[in-house]
Amino acid sequence: MMEPKQDESLFVKYVRIVFVVALYWTVSISMVFVNKALLGGASMGKTDAPLFVTWFQCVVTAVSCLLASKATRFAPNLLSFPELGRIESGIVKKVLPLSVIFVAMISTNNFCLKYLGVAFYYVGRSLSTVFNVLFTYLILGQKTSTPALVSCGVIIGGFWLGVDQESVAGSLSLIGIVFGVLASMFVSLNAIFTKRVLPALEGSVWKLSYYNNVLASLLFMPLILVSGEGPAVYALLTASADTPSAKDPYTFWGLMVLGGIFGFGVGYVTGLQIQVTSPLTHTISGTAKACTQTVLATWWYVEHKTGLWWLSNWTVLAGSMAYTRVKQLEMKKQHSAGLKMGPVSEDDDESKKSLMKEDSAA
């Protein structure tokens, strides 16, 4: 009598994993396509306001965190969210340096997406792993093993091959590549500084997300003015002629809100995927998701790519997978050694939290 129940339990577990992974893929890929639709192409017209789009999404994400916190009071069995609302000056001082990096990260990430096609977006900002190794050594003084360095070399090779093939195809945007490299750098810095700041917020990723997005909303205001987006923002808000908000206001503002909700949602589904699987499985899932996203983008935008262009994508994916495998084996070895000295669950929690923050920029 116990065996059918066990099989059913295992079946339910597999269904839950498949559902969560599919949800993560759907939210993450949808966010990229929605942001691309809002950011448009490389042409900088008078109604072009990429920083305003990013600012608006930060506001929506902060409000979403606040609403989720309030909803937890009414449905504590369904939701688990920290108490949010009051901004404490002491915490702001500790979080502010990270928030500056956070602003730089999401800005360069969106500019990269603006100037590069969705199909090349993954390769364009694929150097975050390389920068992570570099900054881990420069900032934390930790050396990286030779196999991990070889994996980084493969990623760099795939990146350069992709840039070369984009150039051959005539679709290369140098400024897009620059923003992609900068986005990769700030993603890495964000992960490192997140680990330093989290203790000030009781280790809560959601508190950090709330503070980051509130502070980012304030930091973006002077940037929008300095960048000269003021007239474009005014045109969008007043629905002037030839603006997306005038031509189809429901679609435009709907996508603006949806982009912010996806920004909040990707953090939630990332944590959920890590919870029902593992950090390693999450990384593998994210890599496979990027591959699917590339294929979908070439189909959606009717783009025809050469064999070498696809090779660059597979090379970056192979390097990323190899790096993940190397780090997994190293963590397993450290874990086995740590069992003789004491539990290492706190480090595991920190790695999960860093993954959540890294993925929110994807």
Side-chain angles (χ1 to χ4, degrees):
M1 295 294 293
M2 292 295 294
E3 191 172 346
K5 186 176 181 181
Q6 191 174 24
D7 290 340
E8 182 182 3
S9 176
L10 188 62
F11 174 75
V12 171
K13 180 181 179 182
Y14 285 152
V15 170
R16 183 184 302 111
I17 290 174
V18 170
F19 173 76
V20 170
V21 171
L23 182 63
Y24 164 75
W25 281 36
T26 301
V27 173
S28 184
I29 293 176
S30 297
M31 183 178 69
V32 172
F33 277 88
V34 167
N35 280 344
K36 181 60 178 179
L38 288 169
L39 294 168
S43 59
M44 295 292 290
K46 62 181 181 181
T47 62
D48 212 11
L51 289 178
F52 170 70
V53 171
T54 311
W55 169 84
F56 188 90
Q57 292 178 349
C58 286
V59 173
V60 173
T61 301
V63 172
S64 298
C65 288
L66 194 58
L67 291 176
S69 176
K70 302 303 179 185
T72 302
R73 296 181 182 179
F74 300 101
N77 295 328
L78 298 176
L79 296 171
S80 177
F81 224 80
E83 184 71 25
L84 301 176
R86 185 169 176 267
I87 301 295
E88 300 179 20
S89 59
I91 295 180
V92 168
K93 293 179 181 178
K94 296 178 180 179
V95 175
L96 186 58
L98 174 61
S99 295
V100 173
I101 294 174
F102 177 74
V103 166
M105 179 184 72
I106 57 179
S107 297
T108 52
N109 186 73
N110 277 357
F111 274 112
C112 171
L113 183 58
K114 176 179 177 60
Y115 288 99
L116 297 180
V118 176
F120 190 65
Y121 172 65
Y122 172 68
V123 173
R125 44 149 298 181
S126 62
L127 298 181
S128 55
T129 299
V130 178
F131 278 111
N132 188 54
V133 169
L134 178 63
F135 289 132
T136 297
Y137 176 74
L138 294 177
I139 298 175
L140 303 179
Q142 298 176 4
K143 294 184 179 180
T144 303
S145 64
T146 300
L149 290 175
V150 172
S151 301
C152 290
V154 173
I155 294 173
I156 294 173
F159 172 79
W160 280 115
L161 178 60
V163 170
D164 175 71
Q165 289 304 298
E166 282 287 296
S167 178
V168 170
S171 55
L172 179 66
S173 169
L174 287 177
I175 190 170
I177 295 298
V178 171
F179 279 123
V181 173
L182 290 175
S184 300
M185 180 182 73
F186 286 119
V187 164
S188 177
L189 285 173
N190 183 75
I192 292 173
F193 279 83
T194 291
K195 189 171 183 178
R196 288 186 172 184
V197 172
L198 269 174
L201 293 103
E202 302 171 346
S204 173
V205 171
W206 291 117
K207 279 189 177 180
L208 181 58
S209 178
Y210 176 67
Y211 270 87
N212 258 342
N213 282 281
V214 169
L215 293 175
S217 301
L218 299 175
L219 291 171
F220 268 119
M221 290 182 180
L223 288 178
I224 291 172
L225 294 176
V226 170
S227 66
E229 284 189 12
V233 173
Y234 179 78
L236 288 171
L237 293 176
T238 57
S240 301
D242 298 327
T243 60
S245 58
K247 295 176 181 177
D248 194 349
Y250 294 107
T251 299
F252 175 75
W253 292 111
L255 287 176
M256 289 282 279
V257 173
L258 192 61
I261 294 175
F262 278 144
F264 166 81
V266 75
Y268 177 78
V269 295
T270 296
L272 196 60
Q273 181 170 246
I274 292 172
Q275 184 180 7
V276 301
T277 58
S278 68
L280 174 63
T281 304
H282 165 71
T283 303
I284 295 172
S285 174
T287 304
K289 184 268 302 182
C291 176
T292 304
Q293 178 178 290
T294 300
V295 173
L296 281 174
T298 56
W299 169 77
W300 182 261
Y301 297 107
V302 195
E303 298 178 356
H304 302 282
K305 302 297 184 180
T306 64
L308 284 177
W309 187 93
W310 284 108
L311 179 61
S312 71
N313 279 265
W314 306 140
T315 302
V316 169
L317 288 167
S320 300
M321 293 290 285
Y323 180 85
T324 300
R325 178 59 177 169
V326 168
K327 298 306 290 185
Q328 180 218 9
L329 294 175
E330 291 177 357
M331 287 177 65
K332 186 180 291 186
K333 185 177 180 180
Q334 292 173 1
H335 179 75
S336 299
L339 288 176
K340 301 175 182 178
M341 303 175 62
V344 292
S345 58
E346 185 176 345
D347 291 335
D348 291 340
D349 286 342
E350 292 297 331
S351 66
K352 292 179 181 180
K353 291 166 183 174
S354 294
L355 278 170
M356 289 178 68
K357 291 309 295 176
E358 285 184 39
D359 208 75
S360 66

